[in-house]
Amino acid sequence: MIENKHGKVLVFDSGMGGLTVAREIQALAPALSVDYAADSGFFPYGDKSDDALRERLPYIAKKLVDAARPDVFVIACNTASTLALDDVRAVLDIPVVGTVPAIKPAAALTRTGVIGLLATPGTVRRAYTAQLIEDFASEVRVILHGSVELVRMAEQTASGEAISMDAFRMAQAPLFEAEGGDDIDTIVLACTHFPLIRGELAATVPHAVTFVDSGEAIARQTLRVLPDQSGTAGRGGQVWLSSSPARQKRLVEVCRRFGFTDVRELTEE
Ligand code: DGL
């Protein structure tokens, strides 16, 4: 834990997934002021076209930073970061931290040499993801599976809706049914929504595996790039939505449970 870090961080995702990153940042540096933003008007990102996201992300990032005025902007979303990290950096004049699949640590961890990667369809098809695999896991077999259904199941579970264990089993079955799937011993949770259902995923794999995510690494990187002159910046707890909070009752309630209680709507002109 790093007690003496002050400043204001805005953690951003399409929906609830980035809350899993926000909590890692808060655990590492409790004195930081952490606010949250969800692009609820454009959720989910996982099945959107690259063109649509490339247009959306710099636009929404700039609007959010103008409104919330953080010292650091954290894109707590693999689908967005693997596509448009540079585009977002180009429109902001503060440090931007991205989230990319934890392929490197997973490759170091596997004993069988077979890794599974669970993500959105967008993250699975990205050149960025292929490059990470080439750079850090060229000696390892990586089996990828993209699912928007799992993103929705994560939001439903976080909201307290009951989902059958069979649904979790089926949603990750394609990983284990692929060639080599029997030997998977490590799974990369390459979508920030998935730590919300880590327990359900762990309970429904056909054999024991270790789940790896990027949350703690992002928290450490956020502190690394925090400008030195960042001062005490309040207690945080704001949550910015890009659609009417009245129509986002589940999201508002889950954000509240994570400590983001001061709900604001980002108005679009
Ligand atoms: N949480 C996001 C990620 O890490 C994606 C969720 C979505 O499809 O909107 O990829």
Side-chain angles (χ1 to χ4, degrees):
M1 202 193 289
I2 303 171
E3 306 274 3
N4 61 349
K5 278 282 189 175
H6 294 278
K8 184 164 163 165
V9 174
L10 183 62
V11 179
F12 163 78
D13 184 30
S14 56
M16 299 173 192
L19 292 166
T20 65
V21 174
R23 87 180 157 202
E24 298 275 1
I25 296 172
Q26 289 165 321
L28 190 64
L32 276 186
S33 168
V34 180
D35 293 327
Y36 192 70
D39 193 3
S40 48
F42 214 68
F43 172 87
Y45 280 178
D47 60 0
K48 298 287 185 303
S49 75
D50 293 5
D51 284 349
L53 285 175
R54 259 204 207 98
E55 194 178 310
R56 177 72 175 177
L57 286 160
Y59 162 79
I60 195 80
K62 178 88 172 75
K63 274 187 83 94
L64 283 166
V65 168
D66 285 347
R69 300 243 150 254
D71 300 304
V72 178
F73 186 68
V74 178
I75 307 178
C77 175
N78 294 262
T79 312
S81 304
T82 51
L83 181 73
L85 187 52
D86 290 341
D87 301 323
V88 171
R89 285 198 168 122
V91 297
L92 299 182
D93 54 8
I94 56 170
V96 178
V97 177
T99 303
V100 301
I103 288 165
K104 191 179 175 184
L109 222 89
T110 179
R111 292 284 158 264
T112 58
V114 185
I115 292 172
L117 185 140
L118 272 183
T120 64
T123 300
V124 161
R125 67 164 186 268
R126 298 261 187 276
Y128 194 109
T129 305
Q131 191 63 50
L132 279 178
I133 293 171
E134 197 178 314
D135 290 347
F136 301 116
S138 57
E139 308 290 300
V140 166
R141 181 192 289 234
V142 184
I143 301 172
L144 302 104
H145 177 53
S147 169
V148 174
E149 196 197 346
L150 269 176
V151 174
R152 295 197 187 279
M153 287 162 73
E155 297 232 332
Q156 286 162 340
T157 302
S159 312
E161 262 178 62
I163 293 179
S164 77
M165 283 297 162
D166 251 0
F168 287 103
R169 189 170 295 115
M170 276 157 60
Q172 55 183 336
L175 279 184
F176 298 98
E177 285 162 2
E179 199 188 329
D182 286 345
D183 292 324
I184 291 175
D185 67 348
T186 308
I187 292 182
V188 182
L189 297 180
C191 170
T192 54
H193 276 72
F194 298 166
L196 293 168
I197 46 172
R198 188 189 304 258
E200 288 78 1
L201 293 172
T204 52
V205 281
H207 57 257
V209 300
T210 303
F211 289 94
V212 181
D213 67 65
S214 325
E216 203 192 322
I218 300 161
R220 272 189 264 108
Q221 179 63 7
T222 302
L223 294 191
R224 228 173 272 135
V225 303
L226 189 74
D228 285 340
Q229 73 278 14
S230 303
T232 311
R235 295 178 50 235
Q238 285 179 358
V239 50
W240 294 86
L241 305 184
S242 64
S243 57
S244 164
R247 298 180 55 192
Q248 296 291 340
K249 292 217 167 65
R250 282 188 343 183
L251 176 58
V252 167
E253 173 54 24
V254 174
C255 288
R256 194 190 60 73
R257 263 194 5 243
F258 276 76
F260 299 97
T261 52
D262 179 1
V263 184
R264 317 259 172 132
E265 182 179 353
L266 189 71
T267 46
E268 313 236 357
E269 66 267 355

